[in-house]
Each structure stands twice: as structure tokens, then as C-alpha cells.
Amino acid sequence: MDAPVRIRSVWADNVHHEIIAIIKQAALSHPFISLSINLLHSNRNHQRRGRIPPGASPGDPNANYATLRATVGASVLQVGLALSDEGGNLPTCEDTGQPCAWEFNLRVVDRRTGEFAPWQHGVLRACAVDAEESKRRAIDPSHFSFSLFGASILMRSRIRWVVFKGGLDFGGLLKLLRGEDLPRKRDEWFQWLRAYFPSFYDVMHLTAHLRLSPAGGGGSLDGVAETMGVGRDGQHTQGAGSDSLLVLRVFLKMKQESFGGGFLEHLHGNVLFGFCKSGEHV
């Protein structure tokens, strides 16, 4: 995990190769997949690293789900994926010899005008996305969904998904994959989750289980990472790819140091922080 990690920026011209030729093969030996998304949202509370619930308290699951449904009405701007094997090793990409993670840039520009609204430029900058490049090269969301299904990582119990306050990530990606709004009821959404992501760990739930107090940030990813003594690579400070890599690093450190190299599925798995009631699993 000490080697410099290359975050591969993926656009329409290389999305099929990156998902089918690299990620699909890498997932066979790297079954832990960290997921993070960024939305193109006008509400500052939900831009980039805004999570649901916003603080360190899980809050009310039904209220959080109502907030989630409203939030994921926005378009998915970026999807970050980082993979690991049981030993904490990332896949090595043949063209560079470096361990790597991925950042997919999706098309969110207005189809009618071909332009971004003025407020959207601030969100793009926060995610380190160049507006002109996005207009020219961004991935069609339906093409991304089709390719992701082709990678054989969805609906597979052998894949262990890793998220941080993952309601936003799962909610946004499920809306994208299914092409429809999330169900009105939380229980119905859980049925979707069980089908597409049958095995997952929420790092914030693990943090609460360990009774860790995040070092500032009110329950933010960076606050939890600081508490665990985990950092970002100096060159990777923005975007969904950087977030997914940091989530994975925190998870791997917890797995090794706090849980003796493993977790108990019936205690720690499939609990979505802020969306599951006490003792409830998805």
C-alpha cells in the first residue's frame, strides 16, 4: 500500500477497455471494491464529499432515506472504484507497473444547450473536472451502466463492496443503473441493494462499532482517516477516485489492525450507516 497509486481517469474513449479488459479481470483476484460517487448538485451540503447523515450520529433511518431520495435526483458526475485482494494489495496495471484505482467521468452537460449552468462550474472545479474536457469526452451514463454490468462485479456475492456512509453511493449508482427513481419506501430500496450489492461493508458503521472518535470533520471521511493514521497520496486530493482509494485504505487498516485480518459477516456486514435501525442488516 506504500507504492504510489495511479488514479486512472476514464472517459468515453477508454471506458470499455478499462472496465472489461482491466477491472473485470482484476476483480477475479481482488474481490474488495471500494465505491465513491460525486453528484452534480446545487446544494452545497451535498456537493462532492457531503454524506448522509452529515455528522457522526446515524440519526433516523427513514428521515435519512427521504433526504437521500431528494439528493440523488441530481446526476452522477463521477464514480470512483478502488480494488484490493485479501492481503490489501491493489491491482497493478500492465502499462505503468503501478497499483491503480479508477475515476469515471460521466456526461452531465445539458443535452439541449451542450453547456453547463454557471453554478455547475464550481462543482466541477471541486471535483477536479475540466468543463471543456467533460463536454468533449465524458461517458454516456447508459454506456457506463452497460459496461459495469459486463464487468461481472454486480449481483455477485463473492464481491465485497466497501463504502463510507454508503447510502449516497449506492443510491446514486442504483438510480443510474436502473434508470429510475429510488423507491418511496426504505424497505423496497433494501431489496434493490440486496440484489445488486449482496455483500458490503460501511466503514462508518465499523468506526461506530470500534467506538472511534473521528479527528475533526464531524464524522467525515478525512476525519476518520486522520484518526486511523491514513492519508491521501499527495497528488490525489480531489474527486471520486481519490475518495474511493482513501475509503479502501481506511477499511484495510481497520481489517488488519482492529479486526485481526477479518470481519464477522453477521455482525459487521451489510449494515448501512444511517439507514439501518439498531441490529438491522440490509
Side-chain angles (χ1 to χ4, degrees), residues 129-143:
V129 175
D130 180 85
E132 293 304 316
E133 186 172 31
S134 180
K135 286 191 289 187
R136 289 186 291 104
R137 301 183 62 200
I139 306 163
D140 183 275
S142 61
H143 185 199

Side-chain angles (χ1 to χ4, degrees), residues 240-251:
S242 176
D243 284 352
S244 66
L245 181 59
L246 188 60
V247 171
L248 182 63
R249 285 175 163 167
V250 172
F251 171 80

Side-chain angles (χ1 to χ4, degrees), residues 10-20 104 139 143-144 147:
V10 185
W11 300 90
D13 52 8
N14 62 340
V15 60
H16 184 80
H17 174 77
E18 295 291 324
I19 292 181
I20 302 302
F104 298 88
I139 306 163
H143 185 199
F144 174 76
S147 297

